[in-house]
Amino acid sequence: MSEEFDPDWLDLREPFDAMARSAALADRLLARLPARPRFIDLGAGTGSLLRFLAPRLGRAQAWTLVDADRTLLEAAFDTIADRAEAVGWTISFPNKRTLLVHAPGGAWRVESLVADLAEAPRGLPLTNADAVVSSALCDLVSRAWAERLAGALRVPFYAALCVTGRDRFAPPHPADRVVADGFRRDQGRDKGFGGAALGARAPAVLAEVFTARGFTVEGAPSDWEVRGRGPAPIPGMGEAAGRFLTELVLGHAEAARRQDRRGDRRIEAWLEARLDQVAERRLSARIGHRDLLALPPGKG
């Protein structure tokens, strides 16, 4: 069983994910797809990747959202429907597993599939897909998992927001290295995908295993950049930035603690100082990510 995620955290990070993803790489994927493409979204969570890609495509399309957590998939349907109605689009539910969004350029057919991705690609309807996509998934998986997926795919694979390990909080703190080292070690623990997680190695390993299968692989930076002061990049996001920074700080400290066997007090000092800086709107963070697109032979 792979790790579970809090829907509140997924909602909080969604606008920052959307700003970070490489628009050029996403558009390159979409330009290679047929008139009514069929997507399989691995680890779909609450559907944020659909909400990023579907409007960019702007025409009829079909999605299968795959996640082990039924609650997240139910939240995905609710959020997709709510946002569609908020902009004046109509929706319908042909059955419990299917949502139709009647968008101006053509209908989006959205289906859900509850599946433990640790078993992937087994159990996935790959023969019905024109593209397999994911966001913030591939740093959790093992090399063996990535090799199995690469061996099974004959369509484009898009992996957004793979961590790179290049994280920086500002202003500097004496314990930054201690926390960063613990955080990176924690990223490599087994996350339920049959071995050590790729963590910051994900971009390089994905490129290697897909290239070995004849795919053409491209990458682009997609760092989170969060400022605690100054104008928000999107109106109304200032408060969200503070909450997001708080979660980043808490997450880094918690991960460092899990890898700390000596009770290093520097981690607690770092946590206290960073939370004070968030409250004072003095903290900024750049969290390294990279998007990858693997195109099969004949699709480059």
Side-chain angles (χ1 to χ4, degrees):
M1 176 68 71
S2 54
E3 287 203 331
E4 297 182 355
F5 292 91
D6 184 342
D8 291 337
W9 162 244
L10 298 180
D11 288 344
L12 179 60
R13 65 176 285 172
E14 182 171 350
F16 298 95
D17 286 351
M19 287 188 295
R21 295 189 188 102
S22 168
L25 204 64
D27 290 343
R28 179 153 169 74
L29 164 67
L30 300 180
R32 296 314 191 263
L33 299 180
R36 185 184 181 275
R38 300 162 298 177
F39 297 88
I40 294 180
D41 185 357
L42 303 182
T46 58
S48 69
L49 185 55
L50 178 151
R51 292 188 289 273
F52 176 76
L53 288 177
R56 300 186 75 88
L57 183 63
R59 61 180 188 264
Q61 55 197 280
W63 286 75
T64 300
L65 307 183
V66 185
D67 204 284
D69 191 329
R70 186 183 301 274
T71 301
L72 292 182
L73 292 175
E74 292 172 353
F77 270 40
D78 290 342
T79 304
I80 294 165
D82 289 346
R83 296 196 189 176
E85 291 182 322
V87 296
W89 301 347
T90 59
I91 63 166
S92 58
F93 292 89
N95 56 64
K96 292 182 178 180
R97 290 183 55 249
T98 305
L99 164 67
L100 289 181
V101 177
H102 302 278
W108 308 351
R109 183 180 181 89
V110 186
E111 297 181 320
S112 66
L113 174 63
V114 178
D116 184 356
L117 288 177
E119 304 298 323
R122 189 173 67 186
L124 298 179
L126 296 181
T127 57
N128 297 324
D130 297 302
V132 175
V133 300
S134 66
S135 186
L137 170 70
C138 287
D139 44 80
L140 305 177
V141 307
S142 65
R143 183 185 181 98
W145 188 97
E147 288 175 339
R148 290 200 312 271
L149 186 67
L153 290 188
R154 303 294 182 269
V155 297
F157 177 63
Y158 169 76
L161 296 169
C162 302
V163 300
T164 65
R166 298 185 181 93
D167 300 350
R168 184 175 66 86
F169 291 89
H173 186 278
D176 281 344
R177 178 58 63 85
V178 172
V179 173
D181 287 348
F183 185 72
R184 280 193 291 270
R185 288 196 300 273
D186 193 71
Q187 285 181 323
R189 64 184 170 84
D190 190 332
K191 305 292 175 58
F193 289 91
L198 294 178
R201 298 182 297 123
V205 170
L206 288 175
E208 180 183 340
V209 300
F210 275 92
T211 299
R213 294 285 181 172
F215 284 68
T216 300
V217 180
E218 300 179 50
S222 54
D223 296 350
W224 282 337
E225 295 189 54
V226 194
R227 300 192 301 270
R229 62 168 58 190
I234 296 176
M237 281 189 64
E239 181 181 347
R243 297 199 308 271
F244 192 54
L245 285 166
T246 297
E247 292 301 319
L248 289 177
V249 167
L250 292 172
H252 276 68
E254 180 182 356
R257 284 195 200 106
R258 277 196 294 264
Q259 299 298 318
D260 174 33
R261 299 178 180 178
R262 298 179 298 176
D264 195 327
R265 294 182 180 179
R266 290 175 294 178
I267 297 172
E268 303 309 316
W270 183 91
L271 174 60
E272 182 177 351
R274 291 310 194 193
L275 291 178
D276 286 345
Q277 289 165 351
V278 172
E280 296 162 1
R281 298 187 62 188
R282 294 193 298 114
L283 186 66
S284 297
R286 185 184 186 101
I287 308 298
H289 293 95
R290 192 164 181 82
D291 295 351
L292 284 100
L293 174 62
L295 297 174
K299 297 287 186 180

